[in-house]
């Protein structure tokens, strides 16, 4: 008798053997048949070796209680104690699977299926499982027989007799036998239908790949043909009935539960297509309509039931199409997009516990392996395996994957699949989530052999393997490209030149031979530079491939590396700063403008990092002006001063372009900017501020060189057009007007000569040939246009506007804003023009008609010949001109009464007009969306082509790059153009109503 507060020796022994509730275990051991063996060390040690000793003991007690009599109970208990193979198998299953314990309690003699221990029982195949299911004559008995077979598979699994790959293969073989048995039941129930048709069942997915889980949908495709002499329509209807009945036999819930769902949604047209098709109908679909993912799915197609001859015909017919899939446009991008879509659809609360679909999960390994198979299986038949681990082994043997990478992935995949198997085995439920409950994690860890600290070890091992998969699954595709051009050790396999070119073509490289030369130049040698670049390039190649022009990305990277490769901070930046390498890859492959700006001063790559290089946040006008004026002050002469100012402008243009590209593409850690208007405002504000600061510095340089500290006349520069509106694009000219006023004691002629000289010298210096982009200063919006003087006095402007001003000039002045020079003079100029641009009482009807006439004439005369008006971002219907003239008409008519309209910025004026009730919220949103989109297109064209343009490029690669910038994935150029037309059409409808009809 154990005294109060003291634990029995049995209690202590149970704790030592891994029981978590020794008190309950003691009670179970003390009762019924087990009391006779309660202290048997063999039994306790066997229970202690299971995943969950408490669960195993509870299952054993239930099984004993379910036996039909005392004799049967003694027989079971004697066998458990005496026969180690049976003891390990039975207790192992009971400690790992509550669901199979339930089955044994319902079918108490099924434990005898675990007694057999013959060589053929160690690795049964389809034939053995068919014998195990042979006596099933209805869905209920089929379920019982299926569970009995499953019991033996689980027993071999938990005892370590089979590894995870062998277990998955046995589960697939059992599924094959089950599908055959279910089809036989369906045929027996409808012999007339069976006589009319040939029906083949093609396994897909994990069943087809011979790597099934314990609980998984069994994916299938059905192929049907009429028997000789039968009507095809009737035969297909008969085949459909048989297929449907077979699916119900497996899927429906009975008193014995269900087996698993049979899923036919991988068939042509998915659930919307016919369940059964003829072979010719399948082929017609795949030849004309199939998407890339459908060929990827066909990798695992395998005939398993029904007419196996017809099934083999199907596999032989679709096989060539599968291995040609990598030749399709955007093949790699399509596969990767499908993988990203899978991840995006995981609920946020589950993504960290998702074993199959989450980052670093099983699907990452499977997608990577399948991608490589499809690229290289065209020419190497040894890769054409539906089983992931076999395919991975073949890829390593052929040099398509590095051997070390393959070993690490193999280990990770086996561990993750083992986790998945044991999680599903517990309740025989379809799940891929790692349990959150600690007791479940303890059982899971122990089932995998982690005994000292099951929960801690499980989580550490899981995270370690997931990290390996995350690190390797994308690099797996790119790293062998470097090995193809590197010196390898004896016995190491390498990717052949042909295979490397195949892979580069699949990635979208137009000139794979040149790409291989670049890789060789970057990665060869034993220098620190080459070593770091060998580490970086697998990742960079992936980012380049995500662009519309991978060739340009790789070439530009080589140029930058040649220029900076010996600079210690450059290599350190790319290696150590997480964002720098990805930002650089995006910038180098997004078009011509940003790389051109970078090549002129490669040290600007420092801006792409996370640290003290300044980052990609555009700098404000005050900071820019201070830097430029300081540089001008240090320079020797006007030419050197303006060269320094233009150098700052080039660097800051690169910063702005890089921020725009990275924001548009997004990165692995930061999604693309969802607010397109924010990106437009970023570029417009940054480029306008930069232009203003450059003009201020140039003005200072010219004045200092010609007159010292003081110019004989006060001088101001007024920004006009997009410049005044803070809406400059990368390729925009700087629209300005110049105003001056003679200083006291200076004659008008001297002042005028000085002002004209300043303007002429500024324009000359800003356009001098150099490594920096020119800044064109356009003064055509001045009074009298090109016929008038370049610079006027304030009094001259006043006299002109009082006497001669036309309505278009009032409209142009809506965008006037001081940008450089004498602030007091500029302020008086603004006071002068305010009554013109915001006329008291608004515009008269004649003035409104004149504006409409001007707009109509511009549309008809200025649109370039041969261009598609619907795709012209500036002058086309719903383009920039439409929106801006509509907004400006509202400003001219109502600006005097509505202070919010007194702004030079289009979007701000549009919002103010909406707030003032001058147009509806819906119309304002429509116009804003069109204006933002048109501006984004113009910015994209400049970034991609390196020169300004108002229409979409005609070159396919350039058009694709514009699409990527705008957020359209590969192959979606048509969607982009359709969306532009729709957006512009909606805007034009609003313009017709507000501008022409209001």
């Amino acid at each position: 008798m154990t005294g109060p507060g003291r634990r029995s020796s049995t209690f202590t022994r149970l704790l030592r053997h891994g029981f978590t509730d020794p008190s309950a275990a003691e009670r179970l051991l003390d009762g019924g048949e087990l009391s006779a063996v309660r202290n048997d060390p063999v039994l306790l040690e066997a229970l202690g070796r299971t995943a969950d000793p408490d669960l195993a003991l509870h299952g054993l007690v239930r099984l004993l209680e379910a036996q039909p009599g005392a004799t049967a109970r003694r027989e079971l208990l004697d066998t458990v104690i005496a026969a180690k193979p049976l003891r390990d198998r039975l207790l192992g299953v009971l400690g790992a699977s509550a669901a199979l314990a339930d089955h044994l309690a319902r079918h108490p003699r099924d434990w005898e299926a675990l007694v057999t221990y013959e060589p053929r029982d160690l690795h049964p195949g389809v034939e053995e499982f068919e014998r195990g299911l042979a006596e099933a004559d209805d869905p209920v008995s089929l379920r019982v027989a299926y569970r009995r077979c499953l019991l033996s598979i689980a027993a071999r699994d938990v005892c370590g007799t089979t590894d995870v790959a062998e277990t998955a293969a046995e589960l697939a073989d059992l599924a094959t036998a089950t599908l055959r048995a279910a089809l036989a039941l369906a045929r027996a129930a409808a012999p007339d239908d069976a006589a009319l048709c040939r029906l083949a069942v093609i396994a897909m997915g994990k069943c087809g790949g011979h790597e099934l889980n314990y609980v998984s949908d069994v994916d299938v495709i059905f192929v049907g043909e009429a028997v000789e002499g039968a009507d095809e329509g009737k035969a297909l209807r008969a085949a459909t009935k048989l297929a449907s009945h077979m699916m119900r036999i497996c899927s429906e819930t009975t008193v014995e539960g269900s087996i698993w769902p049979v899923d036919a949604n991988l068939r042509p047209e998915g659930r919307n297509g016919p369940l059964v098709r003829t072979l010719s109908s399948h082929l017609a679909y795949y030849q004309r309509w199939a998407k890339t993912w459908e060929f990827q799915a066909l990798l695992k197609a395998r005939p398993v039931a029904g007419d196996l001859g017809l099934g083999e015909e199907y596999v032989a017919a679709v096989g060539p199409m599968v291995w040609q899939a990598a030749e399709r446009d955007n093949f790699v991008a399509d596969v990767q997009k499908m993988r990203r879509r899978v991840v995006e659809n995981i609920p946020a609360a589950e993504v960290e516990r998702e074993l199959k679909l989450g980052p670093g999960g099983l699907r990452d390994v499977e997608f990577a392996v399948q991608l490589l198979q499809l690229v290289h299986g065209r020419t190497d038949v040894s890769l054409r395996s539906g089983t992931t681990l076999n395919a991975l082994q073949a890829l390593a043997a052929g040099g398509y994957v590095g051997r070390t990478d393959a070993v690490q992935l193999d280990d990770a995949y086996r561990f993750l699949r083992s986790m998945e198997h044991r999680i599903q085995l517990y309740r025989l439920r379809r799940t891929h989530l790692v349990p959150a409950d600690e007791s479940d994690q303890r059982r899971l860890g122990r089932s995998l052999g982690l005994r000292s600290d099951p929960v801690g070890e499980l989580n550490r091992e899981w995270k370690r393997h997931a990290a390996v998969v995350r690190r390797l699954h994308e690099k797996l595709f790119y790293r062998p490209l470097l090995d193809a051009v590197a010196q390898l050790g004896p016995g190491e396999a390498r990717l052949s030149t042909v295979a490397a070119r195949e892979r580069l073509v699949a990635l979208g490289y137009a000139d794979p031979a040149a790409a291989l030369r670049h890789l060789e130049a970057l990665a060869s040698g034993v220098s620190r530079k080459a070593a770091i670049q060998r580490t970086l390039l697998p990742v960079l190649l992936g980012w380049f491939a995500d662009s519309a022009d991978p060739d340009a990305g790789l070439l530009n990277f080589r140029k930058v590396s040649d220029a900076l490769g010996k600079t210690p901070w450059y290599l350190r930046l790319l290696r150590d700063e997480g964002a720098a390498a990805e930002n650089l890859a995006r910038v180098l492959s997004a078009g011509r403008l940003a790389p051109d700006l970078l090549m002129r001063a490669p040290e600007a790559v420092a801006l792409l990092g996370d640290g003290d290089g300044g980052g990609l946040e555009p700098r404000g006008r005050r900071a820019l002006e201070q830097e430029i004026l300081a540089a001008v002050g240090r320079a020797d002469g006007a030419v050197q001063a303006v060269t320094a100012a233009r150098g700052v402008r080039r660097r800051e243009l690169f910063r702005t372009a890089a921020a725009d590209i990275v924001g548009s593409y997004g990165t692995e850690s930061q999604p693309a900017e969802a607010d397109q208007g924010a990106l437009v405002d970023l570029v417009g504000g940054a480029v306008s501020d930069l232009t203003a600061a450059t003009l201020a510095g140039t003005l200072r340089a010219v004045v200092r060189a010609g007159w010292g500290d003081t110019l004989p006349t006060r001088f101001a520069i007024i920004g006009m057009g997009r410049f005044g509106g803070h809406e400059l694009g990368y390729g925009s000219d700087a629209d300005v007007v110049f105003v001056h006023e003679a200083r006291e004691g200076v004659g008008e002629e001297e002042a005028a000569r000085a002002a004209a000289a300043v303007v002429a010298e500024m324009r000359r210096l800003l356009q001098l040939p150099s490594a920096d982009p020119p800044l064109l200063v356009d003064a055509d919006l001045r009074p009298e246009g090109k016929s008038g003087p370049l610079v006027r006095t304030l009094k001259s402007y006043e006299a002109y506007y009082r006497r001669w001003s036309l309505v278009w000039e009032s409209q142009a002045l809506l965008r006037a804003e001081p940008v450089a020079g004498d602030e007091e003079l500029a302020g008086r100029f603004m006071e002068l023009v305010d009554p013109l641009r915001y006329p008291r009482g608004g515009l008269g009807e004649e003035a409104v008609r004149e504006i409409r006439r001007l707009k109509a004439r511009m549309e008809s005369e200025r649109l370039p010949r041969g261009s598609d008006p619907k795709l012209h971002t500036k002058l086309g219907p719903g383009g920039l001109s439409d929106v801006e003239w509509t907004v400006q008409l509202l400003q001219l008519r109502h600006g005097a009464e509505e202070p919010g309209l007194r702004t030079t910025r289009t979007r701000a004026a549009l919002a103010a007009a909406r707030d003032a009730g001058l147009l509806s919220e819906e119309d304002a949103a429509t116009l804003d969306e069109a204006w933002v989109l048109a501006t984004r297109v113009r910015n994209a064209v400049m970034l991609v082509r390196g020169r300004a343009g108002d229409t979409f490029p005609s070159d396919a690669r350039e058009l694709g790059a514009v699409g990527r910038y705008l957020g359209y994935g590969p192959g979606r150029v048509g969607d982009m153009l359709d969306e532009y037309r729709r957006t512009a059409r909606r805007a034009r409808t609003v313009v017709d109503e507000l501008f022409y009809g209001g």
Side-chain angles (χ1 to χ4, degrees), residues 40-88:
D40 190 310
V42 169
L43 177 62
L44 290 182
E45 286 175 13
L47 287 167
R49 286 194 297 270
T50 66
D52 187 338
D54 300 85
L55 185 68
L57 178 58
H58 184 257
L60 179 60
V61 170
R62 290 179 63 206
L63 179 57
L64 284 166
E65 291 172 347
Q67 296 304 308
T71 303
R73 284 193 289 275
R74 278 195 303 276
E75 178 191 356
L76 168 59
L77 195 55
D78 289 347
T79 309
V80 167
I81 298 299
K84 185 179 188 307
L86 179 278
R87 181 170 64 248
D88 291 343

Side-chain angles (χ1 to χ4, degrees), residues 99 157 227 251 282 287 313 319 371 441 490 533 568 580 694 711 719 731 743 777 829 891 934 947 955 964 967 973 993:
D157 179 16
V227 299
S251 306
H282 276 282
Q287 288 163 352
E313 287 180 54
L371 191 60
Q441 290 190 11
Q533 290 184 157
T694 305
L711 189 66
R743 295 187 185 277
V777 178
F829 178 87
Q891 289 180 283
R947 60 182 187 274
D955 178 81
R964 288 292 291 112
V973 163
E993 180 183 343

Side-chain angles (χ1 to χ4, degrees), residues 289-307:
W289 303 111
K291 295 180 172 63
T292 299
W293 69 263
E294 293 178 278
F295 294 112
Q296 185 181 353
L298 285 169
L299 262 176
K300 297 184 178 292
R302 180 171 65 94
V304 291
D307 192 317

Side-chain angles (χ1 to χ4, degrees), residues 674-693:
D675 184 355
Q676 303 291 295
L679 289 170
V680 164
D681 293 342
L682 177 143
V683 173
V687 177
S688 299
D689 285 346
L690 180 55
T691 301

